[in-house]
C-alpha cells in the first residue's frame, strides 16, 4: 500500500503540472471568447462590465441546460472592481440567475481575475461580497425594487471554473473568491484562489453556503489566505474534493456544517484547525492528507460532527482530533507528529466480526491534452456540401465515425448536437474526445435499433478520455484499455463486455443509469450522481469499485453487489420520501464492502445476504447509525453455486 507521504508527493507533482499546462482552445469550438466582447485582459483596463456581458451572452439561451457554451478567458490579467454573477439580468424570472456557467481559462498561472485592493464594497467582514458567483434557477420572479434572489436552490446545473486564478487583492476583508453552487454535475478544477493580504485576508476563498450546495467536485484547488479557506453549509447534497491545498487561513482551513464531504489528498498548512466539523449532522471523510502547523494547545480537527480520517499525518498540533460530542475523546499526537486513522462513532459490521477500512488501491484519473492543433480533428471536416447546408439537423454518424477513425489522438466536438443512427466505435488511437458541452443523441426513429450509442473497442493503447459530452444512450466498454469519463452526462446505462477489462474512471458525472459492472473490472468513481429508477443504480457483478462521493435520489437499491468489492468513501443517500417496505439502500449478496455515508430524509437499511451449505438464503438488515455513518463493514457469504462459479 502506498504511504500517505507518497500520495502527497504525487499530489504536489500533479498540482505543479496543472499550473504550467496551457489549455488554449481553437477558434471554432463554439466557445464565447471574452476578448471578442470587450475584455482587455491587460491588467489595466477595468474588465468588470465586459465579463458581466460575456456571462449574459453565454447564459441567455435555451440550450444552457444541455449545451451551455464555455466562457473562454485567454491568458491575461482581467482587472475587476465589483462582483460578477451568473445572471442574465438583475430581475425577472429566477431573479436573472441561470444554470450552465462554465468559465474556462487558458492557463491557471497566466489567466488571472484580479480584484482591485481596498474597495468599499469589500470592506465589511460581516457583509461578505463575492468576486464571482454561480446561482440556481428558480420559479420566482422579481421586479425592480424587490429584494434580489440569493441564487440558492437546487437547479444550478453544470457550472464550472477551470484553469485560472482569482486574486481578491489586499485590504478587502469581506471578499469571497468564488461563491459557488452547482447540482448533479459541476466542478472547480485547476484553480487558485488567493488573497494578497495576510492581515485583512478576505472572508472566504470558496463559499458553499447557499441552499443547497452539491453534488459537485473540486480538484487541484489551492486556496491561500482568507479567514476560511472553504466554508460549506446545509445538509444537501454532498461535495467531493481531491488534491486540495489550504494555506494561511485565520479561522479554519475548512468549515463544514451539515453537508457530506468526501475528500482525498487534503493538505492544510495552518496555525488554526485544518477542519472544523461545526454541526452534529455534518460528515467529513478524508483519506490521504497532511495537516501541519497548529500549536501545542491546538487541535487539527475540531467540531461536533462525524469524521472519518484515514492515512492522515498530523504535525505541530497538540491534538489530532478534539470533537465536542458525547463520548468523544481527544486524540493526542506524540511529540507534535502522528499518523492517524480515526472514525468518530461506533463502526458497524454485517457478516464480519469487526468493522475495518477496506483500503482498496487508488489510481489517479487519466487526462490528456495537447496544444498541437495538427493532432486535433472534428467531424465537421468530413461533411459533404449538402450536409454542411443542413447544419445540426442531419445524421452525423458517418462524419463522427470518420473523425474517430482519422488517426489523430484528439477528436473535438464544437458546441452543439450530434444525432446518430448507428453505434459509434472508438478505436485505441483516440486519446481524448472533448466536447464543448456537446450532445450525442440517437436518431429518434432508430432508438431501439442502434444498440449501444458508443462502444470503446480494441486491445492495447493508452487511456481514452472523454470530457464535456452529453450521451443519450448506452455506453459500452469492450476494450482492454482504460476509459475515463469526466464532466459528462450519461443518460443511459454503462456496461462492460467480457473484452472490457480496462479500468473505468468516472468523474463528476450525471449517470450512468445504471452503472453495470458485468465482468471483472477496476472502477474508480469520483462525484457520481445517479437518480431514480426501479432497477439498482449500481450493479457490481465481480468488479472492484472505489467510490469517492456518491449521491442518489429516490427510493431504490443504490448498490446491488453479487460479487467483488466496493469501497464507498462518502455518500449522500437521498430517498426523498418514505421508502417502501423491504427496499434497502445497499444489497450485498456476494463479496465485501466498506461504506461511509449520510442519509437525508427517511432512513433505510443496508442488507447483507449469507447462504447456508444447503443454499438457503438468509438476509440480514441493519439501519446503521443516525443521519451519518462513518463506517459499515459488510461481507456476504455467497451461495455454493456462486462459490463454484468464482
Amino acid at each position: 500500500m502506498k504511504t500517505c507521504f507518497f500520495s502527497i508527493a504525487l499530489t504536489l507533482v500533479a498540482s505543479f503540472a496543472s499550473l504550467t499546462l496551457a489549455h488554449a482552445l481553437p477558434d471554432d469550438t463554439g466557445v464565447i471568447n471574452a476578448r471578442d466582447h470587450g475584455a482587455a485582459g491587460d491588467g489595466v483596463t477595468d474588465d468588470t462590465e465586459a465579463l458581466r456581458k460575456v456571462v449574459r451572452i453565454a447564459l441567455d439561451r435555451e440550450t444552457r441546460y444541455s449545451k451551455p457554451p464555455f466562457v473562454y478567458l485567454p491568458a491575461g490579467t482581467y482587472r475587476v472592481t465589483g462582483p460578477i454573477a451568473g445572471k442574465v439580468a438583475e430581475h425577472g424570472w429566477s431573479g436573472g440567475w441561470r444554470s450552465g456557467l462554465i468559465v474556462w481559462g487558458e492557463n491557471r498561472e497566466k489567466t488571472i481575475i484580479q480584484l482591485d485592493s481596498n474597495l468599499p464594497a469589500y470592506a465589511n467582514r460581516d457583509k461578505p461580497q463575492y468576486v464571482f458567483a454561480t446561482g440556481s434557477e428558480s420559479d420566482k420572479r422579481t421586479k425592480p425594487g424587490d429584494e434580489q434572489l440569493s441564487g440558492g436552490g437546487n437547479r444550478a446545473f453544470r457550472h464550472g471554473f477551470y484553469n485560472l486564478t482569482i486574486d481578491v487583492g489586499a485590504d478587502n476583508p469581506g471578499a469571497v473568491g468564488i461563491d459557488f453552487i452547482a447540482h448533479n454535475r459541476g466542478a472547480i478544477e485547476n484553480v487558485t484562489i488567493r488573497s494578497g493580504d495576510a492581515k485583512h485576508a478576505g472572508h472566504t476563498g470558496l463559499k458553499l453556503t447557499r441552499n443547497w450546495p452539491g453534488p459537485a467536485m473540486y480538484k487541484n484547488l489551492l486556496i491561500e489566505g482568507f479567514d476560511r479557506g472553504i466554508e460549506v453549509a446545509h445538509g444537501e447534497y454532498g461535495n467531493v474534493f481531491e488534491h486540495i491545498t489550504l494555506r494561511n487561513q485565520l479561522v479554519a482551513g475548512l468549515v463544514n456544517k451539515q453537508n457530506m464531504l468526501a475528500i482525498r489528498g487534503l493538505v492544510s498548512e495552518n496555525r488554526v484547525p485544518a477542519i472544523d466539523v461545526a454541526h452534529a449532522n455534518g460528515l467529513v471523510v478524508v483519506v490521504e492528507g497532511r495537516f501541519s502547523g497548529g500549536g501545542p494547545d491546538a487541535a487539527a480537527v475540531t467540531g461536533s460532527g462525524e469524521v472519518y480520517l484515514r492515512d492522515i499525518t498530523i504535525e505541530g498540533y497538540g491534538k489530532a482530533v478534539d470533537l465536542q460530542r458525547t463520548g468523544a475523546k481527544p486524540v493526542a499526537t506524540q511529540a507534535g507528529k502522528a499518523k492517524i486513522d480515526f472514525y468518530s462513532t461506533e463502526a458497524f459490521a454485517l457478516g464480519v466480526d469487526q468493522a475495518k477500512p477496506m483500503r482498496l488501491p487508488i489510481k489517479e484519473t487519466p487526462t490528456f491534452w495537447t496544444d498541437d492543433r495538427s493532432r486535433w480533428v472534428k467531424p465537421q471536416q468530413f461533411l459533404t456540401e449538402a450536409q454542411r447546408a443542413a447544419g445540426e439537423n442531419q445524421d452525423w454518424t458517418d462524419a463522427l465515425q470518420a473523425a474517430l477513425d482519422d488517426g489523430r489522438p484528439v477528436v473535438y466536438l464544437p458546441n452543439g448536437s450530434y444525432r446518430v443512427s448507428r453505434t459509434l466505435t472508438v478505436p485505441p488511437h483516440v486519446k481524448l474526445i472533448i466536447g464543448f458541452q456537446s450532445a450525442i443523441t440517437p436518431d429518434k426513429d432508430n432508438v431501439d435499433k442502434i444498440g449501444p450509442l458508443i462502444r470503446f473497442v480494441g486491445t492495447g493503447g493508452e487511456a481514452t478520455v472523454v470530457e464535456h459530452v452529453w450521451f443519450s444512450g448506452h455506453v459500452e466498454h469492450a476494450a482492454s484499455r482504460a476509459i475515463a469519463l469526466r464532466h459528462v452526462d450519461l443518460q443511459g446505462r454503462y456496461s462492460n463486455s467480457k473484452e472490457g477489462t480496462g479500468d473505468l474512471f468516472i468523474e463528476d458525472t450525471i449517470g450512468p443509469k445504471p452503472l453495470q459492472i458485468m465482468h471483472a473490472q477496476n472502477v474508480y468513481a469520483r462525484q457520481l450522481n445517479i437518480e431514480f429508477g426501479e432497477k439498482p443504480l449500481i450493479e457490481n457483478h465481480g468488479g472492484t469499485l472505489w467510490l469517492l462521493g456518491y449521491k442518489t435520489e429516490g427510493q431504490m437499491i443504490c448498490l446491488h453487489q453479487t460479487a467483488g468489492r466496493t469501497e464507498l468513501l462518502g455518500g449522500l443517500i437521498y430517498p426523498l420520501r418514505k421508502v417502501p417496505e423491504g427496499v434497502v439502500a445497499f444489497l450485498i449478496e456476494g463479496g465485501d464492502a466498506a461504506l461511509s455515508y449520510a442519509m437525508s430524509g427517511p432512513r433505510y437499511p443496508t442488507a447483507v445476504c449469507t447462504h447456508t451449505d444447503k443454499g438457503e438464503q438468509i438476509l440480514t438488515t441493519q439501519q446503521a447509525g443516525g443521519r451519518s455513518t462513518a463506517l459499515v463493514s459488510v461481507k456476504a457469504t455467497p451461495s455454493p453455486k456462486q462459490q463454484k462459479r468464482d
Side-chain angles (χ1 to χ4, degrees):
M1 176 62 62
K2 296 179 176 67
T3 66
C4 180
F5 298 105
F6 183 65
S7 298
I8 291 170
L10 289 177
T11 300
L12 294 175
V13 170
S15 298
F16 179 78
S18 67
L19 278 170
T20 56
L21 185 64
H23 288 83
L25 299 181
D27 295 332
D28 58 355
T29 56
V31 301
I32 301 174
N33 191 322
R35 296 287 181 86
D36 295 336
H37 298 278
D42 59 9
V44 178
T45 304
D46 187 345
D47 284 327
T48 310
E49 288 302 325
L51 294 182
R52 290 171 178 167
K53 176 183 177 182
V54 75
V55 166
R56 289 194 299 269
I57 292 170
L59 297 183
D60 195 15
R61 55 183 67 196
E62 293 182 358
T63 59
R64 67 187 181 279
Y65 259 40
S66 59
K67 303 185 292 294
F70 291 10
V71 171
Y72 178 47
L73 301 180
T77 298
Y78 298 83
R79 175 180 163 239
V80 297
T81 54
I84 302 164
K87 290 183 172 186
V88 298
E90 291 304 307
H91 299 283
W93 180 76
S94 191
W97 294 99
R98 296 292 186 270
S99 293
L101 175 59
I102 301 173
V103 181
W104 181 282
E106 179 181 341
N107 184 285
R108 176 177 181 170
E109 194 175 44
K110 298 179 180 179
T111 300
I112 301 168
I113 299 172
Q114 177 68 61
L115 183 69
D116 275 5
S117 297
N118 196 25
L119 292 171
Y122 295 89
N124 191 343
R125 266 195 172 91
D126 296 328
K127 294 182 179 180
Q129 177 68 276
Y130 54 79
V131 177
F132 232 125
T134 63
S136 170
E137 299 187 6
S138 75
D139 293 325
K140 295 181 180 179
R141 296 188 65 87
T142 65
K143 57 183 182 297
D146 292 346
E147 182 178 352
Q148 293 186 352
L149 300 181
S150 71
N154 63 357
R155 286 151 53 182
F157 304 123
R158 300 175 188 85
H159 293 313
F161 290 84
Y162 302 88
N163 316 313
L164 54 82
T165 290
I166 291 182
D167 190 317
V168 304
D171 293 311
N172 289 319
V176 172
I178 302 178
D179 193 335
F180 192 72
I181 186 169
H183 297 110
N184 296 6
R185 175 161 78 80
I188 296 179
E189 183 175 323
N190 295 341
V191 167
T192 296
I193 305 173
R194 67 192 182 202
S195 169
D197 187 340
K199 183 177 180 181
H200 303 293
H203 187 278
T204 306
L206 174 62
K207 194 171 177 64
L208 309 170
T209 59
R210 287 172 291 163
N211 295 1
W212 292 273
M217 183 161 188
Y218 313 86
K219 184 172 183 178
N220 294 340
L221 176 63
L222 168 64
I223 300 180
E224 293 188 289
F226 301 96
D227 293 340
R228 303 156 196 83
I230 301 170
E231 183 177 10
V232 192
H234 300 285
E236 295 162 352
Y237 297 93
N239 289 275
V240 179
F241 299 82
E242 189 171 34
H243 302 327
I244 308 298
T245 299
L246 306 175
R247 187 179 294 154
N248 298 328
Q249 279 77 55
L250 301 181
V251 175
L254 183 152
V255 178
N256 179 49
K257 294 183 179 176
Q258 300 183 58
N259 214 260
M260 186 291 299
L261 307 186
I263 307 172
R264 174 181 174 241
L266 175 62
V267 175
S268 173
E269 299 171 356
N270 280 298
R271 296 285 297 173
V272 297
I275 299 173
D276 180 12
V277 192
H279 194 284
N281 284 344
L283 171 64
V284 178
V285 178
V286 189
V287 296
E288 300 178 3
R290 176 171 55 83
F291 308 159
S292 63
D297 299 323
V301 179
T302 62
S304 57
E306 302 282 7
V307 178
Y308 174 18
L309 306 173
R310 196 182 82 196
D311 295 331
I312 308 298
T313 298
I314 311 288
E315 299 180 59
Y317 290 92
K319 292 185 287 291
V321 182
D322 192 3
L323 299 177
Q324 290 74 51
R325 53 185 296 130
T326 303
K329 296 181 179 180
V331 180
T333 60
Q334 296 178 356
K337 185 175 183 178
K339 185 176 181 181
I340 68 166
D341 294 338
F342 173 84
Y343 38 87
S344 56
T345 55
E346 178 187 2
F348 291 84
L350 290 172
V352 292
D353 294 332
Q354 183 179 0
K356 59 181 180 179
M358 183 173 284
R359 298 180 184 276
L360 290 180
I362 304 170
K363 290 185 180 179
E364 302 292 342
T365 303
T367 59
F368 181 82
W369 190 270
T370 175
D371 283 324
D372 182 354
R373 294 292 171 255
S374 68
R375 304 180 72 194
W376 289 49
V377 61
K378 62 179 180 177
Q380 284 80 357
Q381 295 171 222
F382 301 93
L383 296 177
T384 65
E385 290 301 321
Q387 288 173 325
R388 292 181 192 280
E392 279 192 4
N393 189 26
Q394 61 164 299
D395 187 337
W396 283 86
T397 311
D398 290 341
L400 277 166
Q401 192 61 59
L404 291 167
D405 293 338
D406 176 75
R408 281 174 271 191
V410 179
V411 176
Y412 71 106
L413 310 177
N415 179 258
S417 293
Y418 299 81
R419 179 172 56 85
V420 299
S421 56
R422 67 176 186 273
T423 300
L424 298 171
T425 59
V426 183
H429 70 261
V430 177
K431 296 182 180 179
L432 174 63
I433 301 173
I434 182 166
F436 294 89
Q437 285 312 119
S438 306
I440 299 178
T441 62
D443 184 274
K444 63 181 180 179
D445 296 327
N446 293 285
V447 172
D448 297 330
K449 301 177 183 178
I450 291 177
L453 183 70
I454 189 166
R455 178 184 287 127
F456 296 87
V457 299
T459 59
E462 300 178 13
T464 296
V465 181
V466 182
E467 298 186 353
H468 297 285
V469 180
W470 176 307
F471 294 107
S472 295
H474 176 197
V475 175
E476 184 180 56
H477 193 165
S480 61
R481 69 188 183 281
I483 305 299
L485 306 173
R486 306 180 68 241
H487 315 304
V488 301
D489 289 65
L490 296 165
Q491 302 296 319
R493 68 188 179 103
Y494 164 92
S495 66
N496 67 322
S497 68
K498 289 183 179 180
E499 296 77 24
T501 57
D503 293 343
L504 171 67
F505 297 85
I506 305 178
E507 188 169 285
D508 184 36
T509 67
I510 298 174
K513 191 172 74 174
L515 168 60
Q516 295 178 317
I517 308 168
M518 305 303 295
H519 305 275
Q521 180 184 37
N522 295 323
V523 178
Y524 306 89
R526 295 146 162 101
Q527 207 299 81
L528 180 65
N529 180 87
I530 314 180
E531 302 179 359
F532 300 109
E534 296 180 359
K535 295 182 178 180
L537 300 181
I538 299 177
E539 299 176 25
N540 186 0
H541 301 298
T544 299
L545 171 60
W546 179 85
L547 266 166
L548 182 71
Y550 173 37
K551 183 260 182 182
T552 71
E553 190 166 340
Q555 311 88 44
M556 70 272 115
I557 297 173
C558 303
L559 167 67
H560 180 202
Q561 179 173 293
T562 61
R565 297 182 295 171
T566 296
E567 183 176 25
L568 170 59
L569 296 165
L572 184 75
I573 309 305
Y574 181 44
L576 194 65
R577 57 183 64 92
K578 186 177 179 180
V579 180
E581 187 72 25
V583 177
V584 298
F586 304 97
L587 176 58
I588 310 300
E589 292 190 277
D592 52 357
L595 312 169
S596 302
Y597 59 90
M599 284 197 177
S600 180
R603 312 290 192 260
Y604 63 129
T606 292
V608 61
C609 184
T610 58
H611 293 82
T612 67
D613 292 339
K614 297 180 180 180
E616 298 170 329
Q617 179 174 294
I618 303 172
L619 196 66
T620 304
T621 63
Q622 180 170 337
Q623 172 61 59
R627 180 185 188 274
S628 299
T629 302
L631 178 63
V632 180
S633 288
V634 182
K635 187 174 182 63
T637 303
S639 67
K641 183 178 179 181
Q642 179 68 45
Q643 290 178 2
K644 185 177 180 180
R645 185 163 62 245
D646 293 345

